Amino acid sequence: MNEDLFGDLIPQQSAKTNHERESHTVNTRMQPLAERLRPKTLDEVVGQQHLLGPGKPLRVAFEEGRPHSMVLWGPPGVGKTTLARIMASAFHLPFIAISAVLSGVKEIREAVDEAQKHMDQTGESTLVFVDEVHRFSKSQQDAFLPHVESGLFVFIGATTENPSFEVNSALLSRSATYVLESLKTEDFERLLPRAIEVEAPGLMFTKEAKDILFNLADGDARRFLNAVELACHLAQDKGIKEVGADLLRQSLPSTLRRFDKGGDNFYDLISALHKSVRGSDPDAALYWMTRMIVGGCDPLYICRRVIRMATEDIGLADPRALEIALNAAQVFERLGSPEGELAIANAVVYCAVAPKSNSLEVAYNAVKSFVKKDSTRPVPLYLRNAPTKLMSELGYSHGYRYAHDEPDAFAAGEIYLPEGIENMRWYYPRPRGLEIKIAEKLEKLKALNRQAWAKGQGRIRSKKEK
């Protein structure tokens, strides 16, 4: 596991700043499990295969020996700091870490001085990692710009916020932006044996305990490893060789015990919230939402559930519900607790009182089921694109009617489904909210189609409408 991924490209030791050297004097056993398991090579990193898999952007950068400035955007606990450290090690660069939460101009100046000394001595750049870079003001971010341009810094900024809004455009234009994803269940499956081997060799976890851990982590490796560490300690204290759901819940902090995603209580509260919104009861929805937050639930998890409600239970009956749900998540990410919780409450109540329709979900599931069972039908020639002369000569796009050139921007009598299923219909709007008007419009368009076909106009593949 500790072998170098690319031979000499990733040495076991890299140049260190004074801060880095001091950190190595700490007894590693006293460090949290998450720190002791921090990957040293790309092969040890779990997740992020869209960036680190064969032929993917960051993997290629490492293989080709091209250190470059970048912004790593993603939720907590997905490896932003780890990737920065691995890059410093891979390219033999000094590593300076700055926290935008705890640091200011003084720390930036110290980093510049230290990097300049190294540059004067070796002619090499220094990798400067700025955690929570969005917390720096625009002027503080500007302070990095000349040093990135001169090559003094290889700049890596980590942020949980959208860098398009939170990072200076000039700094952003000189950095590659990589989006990191929350870890998945299969990633935690890989990580758990490593954690057990380090913390409590031979210890076993039941499937139910694993499910609780994976759900509790919510994509965050640090949260996952902290929970595993606590469970291992309790099991060792009790002389237990297998961790079950009950023991695991005993090891969790009180807030997580009250609200862990592996427990019945969690699913009961989620179910109650969802059904209260679906049942159009704003008071009950607000009550269950508050129970979840007070019980220790991650408010962003509630946001994700409300987004699901907006699409699954409201849909096109009130498209604004989805917009409000998405805005609530963004507001909470900007404000945090407790202020941001009001935005979530606003979304929950709005969804509760909004008109309800699951017609889109029903239609999508029906189409998906049909497509899985049906044969692969060819796209009609007139609907195909014709970017080349050969394609045009083969009849691609011939006879296609451009809707914007037709009366009311509608090509009456045109058919857009493959031959043989022209009359299939899956979407049936409910008589509620905006879908009332959607149904009225669809009926009007169908009437125009019928008129065109009756006159022998339009595409005469279908003379009967279903």
Side-chain angles (χ1 to χ4, degrees):
M1 182 179 295
N2 290 324
E3 293 180 359
D4 292 341
L5 180 59
F6 302 116
D8 292 338
L9 180 60
I10 303 185
Q12 293 299 317
Q13 300 294 329
S14 63
K16 303 178 180 68
T17 65
N18 290 334
H19 298 296
E20 289 285 284
R21 282 191 289 270
E22 289 171 5
S23 69
H24 283 270
T25 64
V26 178
N27 184 339
T28 56
R29 185 62 187 172
M30 300 298 293
Q31 293 178 327
L33 178 61
E35 186 61 34
R36 283 177 278 142
L37 273 183
R38 188 184 293 277
K40 302 298 190 300
T41 70
L42 290 188
D43 271 350
E44 295 178 16
V45 176
V46 296
Q48 315 311 329
Q49 289 306 296
H50 63 296
L51 298 176
L52 303 176
K56 299 303 182 181
L58 275 180
R59 171 77 61 161
V60 171
F62 275 79
E63 290 174 336
E64 295 183 354
R66 292 187 289 105
H68 58 280
S69 294
M70 64 184 71
V71 173
L72 302 176
W73 174 25
V78 296
K80 297 186 288 292
T81 303
T82 293
L83 286 175
R85 289 179 179 274
I86 291 176
M87 177 166 281
S89 176
F91 300 114
H92 304 255
L93 300 177
F95 182 88
I96 298 177
I98 298 175
S99 169
V101 177
L102 304 174
S103 305
V105 175
K106 175 178 176 289
E107 286 74 17
I108 297 175
R109 287 174 179 166
E110 289 175 351
V112 172
D113 291 341
E114 193 164 347
Q116 190 62 60
K117 290 178 184 177
H118 181 73
M119 175 69 77
D120 293 341
Q121 294 171 0
T122 66
E124 296 176 343
S125 303
T126 293
L127 192 149
V128 176
F129 174 70
V130 182
D131 196 19
E132 303 287 349
V133 64
H134 60 275
R135 298 290 189 94
F136 271 148
S137 67
K138 298 299 184 183
S139 60
Q140 287 172 317
Q141 292 181 30
D142 281 339
F144 293 99
L145 191 58
H147 308 299
V148 173
E149 292 177 331
S150 69
L152 182 66
F153 287 170
V154 174
F155 172 84
I156 298 185
T159 178
T160 56
E161 303 286 342
N162 189 330
S164 299
F165 303 117
E166 303 298 335
V167 179
N168 278 9
S169 57
L171 188 57
L172 201 59
S173 68
R174 290 159 177 79
S175 308
T177 299
Y178 298 109
V179 181
L180 277 66
E181 300 174 347
S182 297
L183 271 62
K184 303 176 177 61
T185 296
E186 54 266 29
D187 299 322
F188 292 124
E189 289 278 12
R190 288 180 56 199
L191 193 55
L192 182 58
R194 299 186 195 178
I196 294 173
E197 182 63 27
V198 170
E199 195 64 31
L203 188 66
M204 303 291 290
F205 281 74
T206 65
K207 183 182 184 305
E208 186 179 4
K210 289 180 182 180
D211 289 341
I212 293 174
L213 280 173
F214 299 159
N215 286 319
L216 179 67
D218 198 24
D220 185 327
R222 189 180 301 108
R223 182 188 299 177
F224 172 76
L225 291 173
N226 288 343
V228 171
E229 185 175 11
L230 290 171
C232 288
H233 288 176
L234 183 59
Q236 290 174 321
D237 290 344
K238 292 179 175 290
I240 294 173
K241 298 298 183 182
E242 183 177 72
V243 175
D246 291 340
L247 181 71
L248 179 60
R249 292 194 178 102
Q250 290 177 36
S251 72
L252 298 175
S254 58
T255 54
L256 295 179
R257 276 205 308 275
R258 291 174 61 197
F259 192 87
D260 74 79
K261 294 184 184 177
D264 292 337
N265 188 45
F266 173 87
Y267 292 111
D268 289 345
L269 290 173
I270 284 294
S271 177
L273 172 61
H274 200 145
K275 289 172 181 173
S276 297
V277 169
R278 183 183 293 149
S280 300
D281 188 330
D283 295 299
L286 197 58
Y287 170 79
W288 294 119
M289 183 209 83
T290 304
R291 279 275 303 272
M292 292 166 70
I293 289 179
V294 172
C297 177
D298 180 358
L300 286 176
Y301 180 83
I302 300 176
C303 287
R304 290 193 289 273
R305 298 295 300 209
V306 176
I307 291 169
R308 174 182 171 183
M309 297 170 200
T311 55
E312 182 179 311
D313 293 294
I314 300 170
L316 293 178
D318 186 353
R320 182 158 167 74
L322 178 57
E323 178 184 349
I324 288 175
L326 290 168
N327 285 344
Q330 188 175 46
V331 169
F332 183 82
E333 287 179 339
R334 287 174 178 265
L335 296 183
S337 294
E339 295 87 349
E341 293 164 8
L342 289 176
I344 303 174
N346 181 67
V348 166
V349 170
Y350 187 93
C351 287
V353 300
K356 304 299 187 295
S357 172
N358 70 340
S359 59
L360 194 59
E361 182 191 19
V362 171
Y364 173 70
N365 289 334
V367 174
K368 185 163 64 173
S369 176
F370 177 84
V371 169
K372 287 180 177 179
K373 297 176 182 177
D374 192 38
S375 60
T376 303
R377 299 175 185 269
V379 176
L381 285 176
Y382 60 92
L383 293 181
R384 300 185 190 184
N385 191 27
T388 68
K389 180 180 178 182
L390 174 61
M391 289 178 173
S392 181
E393 290 173 350
L394 291 174
Y396 285 29
S397 199
H398 286 195
Y400 170 66
R401 295 165 60 191
Y402 187 58
H404 292 287
D405 291 339
E406 305 272 347
D408 296 323
F410 179 66
E414 186 60 288
I415 295 172
Y416 299 96
L417 281 168
E419 188 169 359
I421 59 170
E422 306 97 320
N423 302 314
M424 293 295 295
R425 182 183 176 192
W426 295 282
Y427 173 55
Y428 294 88
R430 301 285 192 261
R432 291 182 287 277
L434 182 62
E435 284 200 307
I436 295 174
K437 292 189 176 295
I438 292 175
E440 291 173 353
K441 178 170 183 178
L442 288 178
E443 286 301 321
K444 177 182 177 181
L445 297 181
K446 289 172 189 171
L448 292 175
N449 279 336
R450 287 192 291 267
Q451 292 174 15
W453 291 328
K455 296 177 182 178
Q457 300 170 348
R459 200 161 298 277
I460 314 298
R461 264 203 294 124
S462 173
K463 296 183 179 179
K464 180 181 177 184
E465 183 194 4
K466 187 174 180 180

